[in-house]
Amino acid sequence: VSTQSTWEKTTMISRATAVLALAGSAAAFAPMGTPALRKPASIQMSAQANAAKVAAAGAALLVATPAFAGDAGAGEKIFNANCAACHAGGQNSVVPDHTLEKAAIEKFLTGGFNEKAVVTQVTNGKNAMPAFGGRLSDDDIANVATYVISTSDAGWD
């Protein structure tokens, strides 16, 4: 039995697909054709080395950037129906300094500024915030997390 949420599985699949696509793109730079038509070995090695560098850089970029697995539009609707009573406009009516502004999320949210940390907080609750794990589906929570992180990153209105 898997303990991974739909959001975690989707993120892993998305990243794996992107890495495979980058590796395939890098392979396009590898020398092809019959040995008589190939470039000298020193040039072949250079092209292969460059292709490997491109693939490695792309893979590092994928790991370094967040993958937004949820649907922010759907997340906004769920947020407005379930979260806005306390968090309208990214604020916090219960604990005023614990807003959904990026700086506050980075400072106060266990796990930092990322969707996984928001998913954990929404699912389990913490302190004054109730748990929504029994009320919302994993997909709904992933959508809310995408909405919160993307809106916070862009700046709440």
Side-chain angles (χ1 to χ4, degrees):
V1 178
S2 175
T3 59
Q4 291 179 320
S5 70
T6 302
W7 175 82
E8 290 171 319
K9 289 176 186 174
T10 303
T11 300
M12 286 176 30
I13 290 169
S14 296
R15 287 186 176 174
T17 302
V19 168
L20 290 174
L22 279 170
S25 298
F29 293 101
M32 303 281 293
T34 60
L37 299 176
R38 288 188 188 162
K39 296 177 183 175
S42 63
I43 295 173
Q44 286 181 17
M45 292 304 290
S46 176
Q48 288 173 340
N50 287 338
K53 288 176 188 175
V54 168
L61 182 61
L62 284 172
V63 171
T65 58
F68 295 125
D71 177 341
E76 180 178 16
K77 292 175 186 172
I78 298 159
F79 180 91
N80 288 336
N82 295 277
C83 313
C86 296
H87 294 290
Q91 298 305 301
N92 187 327
S93 63
V94 180
V95 183
D97 62 334
H98 289 207
T99 68
L100 299 180
E101 300 290 341
K102 186 174 182 176
I105 291 174
E106 289 171 339
K107 182 175 181 179
F108 297 114
L109 183 63
T110 302
F113 185 76
N114 61 76
E115 287 186 33
K116 186 175 181 181
V118 174
V119 166
T120 299
Q121 177 84 8
V122 173
T123 302
N124 302 321
K126 185 175 178 184
N127 299 328
M129 182 169 163
F132 285 84
R135 300 186 213 170
L136 299 174
S137 71
D138 288 350
D139 288 342
D140 287 346
I141 292 172
N143 291 341
V144 167
T146 297
Y147 171 70
V148 168
I149 292 296
S150 62
T151 304
S152 179
D153 198 35
W156 293 85
D157 291 333

